[in-house]
Amino acid sequence: MAKKVVLAFSGGLDTSYCVKYLSEEKGMEVHSVLVDTGGFSDEELINIENRAKTLGVKSHKTVNVVNEYYEKCLKYLVFGNVLKNNTYPLSVSAERMFQALAVAEYARSIDAEAIAHGSTGAGNDQVRFDVVFRILVPNVEIITPIRDMRLSREAEIEYLKAKGVEQDWTKAAYSINKGIWGTSVGGKETLTSNQYLPESAFPTQLTKTDAEQVDLYFEKGELRGINSEKFVNPVDAIKKLQEIAGPFAIGRDIHVGDTIIGIKGRVGFEAAAPLIIIKSHHTLEKHVLTKGQLYWKEQLGNWYGTMVHEGQFLEPVARNIETFLADTQQNVTGTVHVQLSPYRFYVIGIQSEHDLMSAKFGSYGEMNNAWTGDDVRGFSKIMSNQTMIYHKVNEQ
């Protein structure tokens, strides 16, 4: 009886090769699965399913995890204001976790003996997938033909042609990976240290030129309203904001970071909605949270982002950090006013009943109502006492 293998399938060259190789060279029963994290249209999903069946899979399944992805990860990335290296909203690395989780669950549900993915040996994704599979389905074999055989793109194309697979495999000048939390863009410029991506490389082109204001309403840290429209599901709010802000070509940048396997890498991206949401949320927090809350949120938020980025989402401490981050959001409710312009945005200000910048207690640099000058003199004397003693003792 043929061994049953679940293949994480995208419809591209690598996973198309895997279908033919696993079914015809290894004699395996291939069940392809595509995990949608918000990056496919209905038409694209149908085309990918048809392609999988044409290649000869035993079955194909599409799993939509967008809502789960938001509830179990994205909202915590917002709560933590997570931008890897102060730049990147983890557009791809976060979604890979949920693709791997869904593939593992599907493999378990059909009693598959193996899981295959089309990762090469050069990047982060191979580790992210392998780590999740090793944790959730440790007895299932992991098969990675492209990585293990060190196949070139040309070798894969020649193999598929020999198998009668006729398709235009012309490599696009730029590799695009789209999801609800942003789109990555890779090309020859990102392989260098000194070049920027050209305008044409970005999928969303500038089509709006007249500046406009957008009002974002947050309720306990989650985006629940845009202008006068309210949303039950924050996922719909994210999509709406992307529709509004994307045509301004906002949210473009290049992330430079350390890969899991220890080399430096660059990747371009566009993420209008994620960057606006994180910046707006952080501004609201600076008004309604205390110094201590902001400090510890920054430390734990950064660490949480690193764990997600490096495939350690299932580490139990991640759940502890999520609990902390969620607890800090009780007063993060209010409206943030944002100005959108071509290629840029900025936060105008916020309105919140929890705003700690209250005139009842004083205005910074002008007037105070809660203490006297003598109070400050005494406070300053005690505040400086130990350091004064240090300098007196060690002045020689």
Side-chain angles (χ1 to χ4, degrees), residues 172-197:
Y174 297 94
S175 60
I176 307 296
N177 187 96
K178 183 180 180 182
I180 192 173
W181 207 236
T183 300
S184 68
V185 184
K188 64 181 186 298
E189 292 84 4
T190 57
L191 298 176
T192 71
S193 297
N194 66 328
Q195 297 181 51
Y196 198 77
L197 290 165

Side-chain angles (χ1 to χ4, degrees), residues 123-125 127-128 131 258-263 306 308-311:
N124 288 320
D125 288 345
V127 178
R128 293 169 181 144
V131 166
D258 298 290
T259 64
I260 305 170
I261 56 178
I263 60 176
T306 297
V308 172
H309 180 72
E310 296 186 350

Side-chain angles (χ1 to χ4, degrees), residues 285-305:
E285 283 193 326
K286 286 189 283 188
H287 279 265
V288 304
L289 298 185
T290 67
K291 178 173 68 174
Q293 287 176 306
L294 290 168
Y295 175 84
W296 285 110
K297 279 188 74 278
E298 182 176 0
Q299 313 313 308
L300 291 177
N302 282 337
W303 183 242
Y304 181 79

